[in-house]
Amino acid sequence: MSILSITSTALSGMRAQTTRVSAIANNIANSSTPGYARLNTSLTSVEPGGVQAIVEPTASDVDPASELTDMIQAEQSYKANAVVFETGADMWEMLMSIKRD
């Protein structure tokens, strides 16, 4: 696996978690709106590597405690992907400095 594919995979994870947080925020903002259909985010893997978020309405009601739990999970997942991305970028920088020398 190349450094570029590692950073690309981490970036797709950060994008997916951003989409997830957006859906959660929308659910919380519209929790008392009559007839609102809760948005559910599912993550699927994509080739050659990475993840994609798919947002679909569901028939369930919005549970604020569940939404906050999902928000915490999305935050932790985003942070983990950000660490992987930063590590890949650091590795790339190290390789470029070795190549220059």
Side-chain angles (χ1 to χ4, degrees), residues 93-101:
E93 186 178 326
M94 178 77 69
L95 286 172
M96 290 299 105
S97 70
I98 291 171
K99 186 177 179 181
R100 280 179 264 165
D101 294 341

Side-chain angles (χ1 to χ4, degrees), residues 36-73:
Y36 176 74
R38 180 184 178 276
L39 298 177
N40 185 46
T41 307
S42 58
L43 304 176
T44 59
S45 61
V46 294
E47 291 297 327
V51 66
Q52 179 182 15
I54 300 171
V55 179
E56 299 173 329
T58 63
S60 63
D61 292 334
V62 176
D63 175 27
S66 176
E67 298 297 330
L68 291 176
T69 301
D70 287 349
M71 181 75 76
I72 292 168
Q73 290 174 346

Side-chain angles (χ1 to χ4, degrees), residues 10-28 36 38-44 51-56 67 70-71 73-75 77-78 81:
L11 187 59
S12 76
M14 289 189 292
R15 284 186 187 130
Q17 295 308 323
T18 300
T19 301
R20 184 177 176 197
V21 167
S22 178
I24 293 167
N26 197 31
N27 288 339
I28 292 170
Y36 176 74
R38 180 184 178 276
L39 298 177
N40 185 46
T41 307
S42 58
L43 304 176
T44 59
V51 66
Q52 179 182 15
I54 300 171
V55 179
E56 299 173 329
E67 298 297 330
D70 287 349
M71 181 75 76
Q73 290 174 346
E75 176 189 14
S77 296
Y78 186 94
N81 280 293

